[in-house]
Amino acid sequence: MFQDFIEILVLSAVQGISEFLPISSSAHLIIVSSLYDLKASSLLIDISLHLGSLLAIIFFFRKDLFNLKNNHKLLKLIIIGSIPLIIFGYILHSTELIHLLRNIKVIAWTTLFFGIILYFADQKKTDQNISSNLNIKSIIFIGLFQILALIPGVSRAGITITAARLLSFNRVDSGKISFLLSIPTLAAVSIYGLNNVIKTENLNFSIINLSSIFLSFLFSFFTIKFFLKYIQKFNLNLIVAYRILLGLGLLYIAYL
């Protein structure tokens, strides 16, 4: 039981932190799983981790999300921007093509390449904001970029922030757009996973799953809060440097 809790703690930290930082949660979860024999890892645990992140983002932006009178346009745009990823994600998972992309070489190259792209996008001058400039055209542009997040190592947060910065949205608003776009995606992942669990009749919910949701919620909430404060004062160079170092390290391991 203690070993299971330690593994859940590690997985929750990886999910909660890397889901909302532009460093790829899927890449880090794959790396951790490949380095350690995680006995607690399962489809239901994975769903619990994503559910914790979903609840955290909804709770953090609850004032925006539940203020339908003033924010109905924003919520509609977020749903529209999520449609391309959900459609392509469903196709890749249902055809099992997604498994072809889950290897260390792909993760290494995408981590490195899209980290460099993020650096150049972050140099753009800022003259756009959510309230005035987020429209159908810009959200579709960001939503199409988000499809690339289906490739492990790209990072959903990373590619959406990159797209928003290319459109000259400021860093904080780029982060908010990325976080809000995660809501339909996390919801779709949770629903799709639960559907698979129900089909296999393996719905064995336990204290471990509740712990996964709770810990993932905590790590996710504080990561969102920290990251938005961080990008108010600093650029993304530290994130880029981390991605480059991680990518180079993975390339060394992959081709050793």
Side-chain angles (χ1 to χ4, degrees):
M1 185 67 177
F2 179 75
Q3 180 65 28
D4 287 345
F5 180 78
I6 295 299
E7 291 181 1
I8 291 301
L9 182 64
V10 172
L11 289 172
S12 298
V14 173
Q15 167 64 25
I17 295 171
S18 61
E19 177 68 43
F20 298 107
L21 294 184
I23 55 176
S24 179
S25 61
S26 59
H28 283 75
L29 285 170
I30 290 171
I31 291 167
V32 169
S33 297
S34 64
L35 292 176
Y36 302 99
D37 182 20
L38 299 176
K39 296 180 176 60
S41 183
S42 68
L43 178 58
L44 197 54
I45 292 296
D46 190 46
I47 294 168
S48 300
L49 294 171
H50 283 89
L51 185 57
S53 292
L54 175 62
L55 293 174
I57 194 72
I58 291 174
F59 181 74
F60 189 90
F61 286 104
R62 62 193 182 280
K63 292 182 180 179
D64 295 310
L65 294 173
F66 298 123
N67 187 1
L68 297 177
K69 182 178 179 181
N70 296 321
N71 293 323
H72 67 278
K73 178 186 174 183
L74 174 62
L75 298 179
K76 182 175 70 175
L77 289 174
I78 293 303
I79 292 171
I80 292 171
S82 302
I83 291 173
L85 178 67
I86 292 172
I87 292 174
F88 277 85
Y90 177 77
I91 293 171
L92 283 179
H93 279 87
S94 60
T95 58
E96 298 189 351
L97 291 174
I98 191 70
H99 299 300
L100 298 177
L101 302 173
R102 292 179 179 274
N103 67 75
I104 196 74
K105 291 181 180 179
V106 170
I107 294 172
W109 284 112
T110 53
T111 298
L112 179 61
F113 178 76
F114 286 98
I116 295 171
I117 297 298
L118 177 62
Y119 170 79
F120 286 107
D122 194 46
Q123 308 309 306
K124 290 277 290 186
K125 292 183 178 180
T126 299
D127 59 7
Q128 308 286 302
N129 58 69
I130 288 181
S131 58
S132 304
N133 305 109
L134 189 65
N135 51 38
I136 290 286
K137 184 178 178 180
S138 58
I139 201 66
I140 289 177
F141 178 84
I142 297 170
L144 291 174
F145 262 67
Q146 193 176 211
I147 294 173
L148 294 170
L150 294 167
I151 306 171
V154 171
S155 167
R156 193 208 56 78
I159 201 63
T160 49
I161 290 173
T162 296
R165 295 292 289 132
L166 287 173
L167 292 175
S168 298
F169 282 92
N170 63 62
R171 290 189 185 96
V172 174
D173 279 359
S174 295
K176 287 181 178 178
I177 293 169
S178 173
F179 292 154
L180 290 170
L181 278 172
S182 73
I183 295 174
T185 304
L186 287 168
V189 169
S190 299
I191 293 169
Y192 180 79
L194 279 172
N195 183 54
N196 287 337
V197 169
I198 292 170
K199 284 181 179 179
T200 59
E201 299 181 353
N202 191 30
L203 195 59
N204 186 22
F205 209 76
S206 67
I207 189 65
I208 292 296
N209 298 104
L210 289 174
S211 299
S212 301
I213 294 172
F214 177 71
L215 290 171
S216 179
F217 175 92
L218 288 181
F219 281 111
S220 298
F221 180 84
F222 286 109
T223 298
I224 296 164
K225 188 174 183 178
F226 163 79
F227 186 64
L228 287 177
K229 286 186 176 181
Y230 179 83
I231 56 180
Q232 283 180 340
K233 300 178 180 179
F234 305 103
N235 58 33
L236 296 172
N237 288 353
L238 188 62
I239 296 289
V240 171
Y242 171 78
R243 289 191 62 137
I244 290 174
L245 288 173
L246 179 61
L248 291 173
L250 292 173
L251 283 173
Y252 176 77
I253 294 171
Y255 293 96
L256 183 65

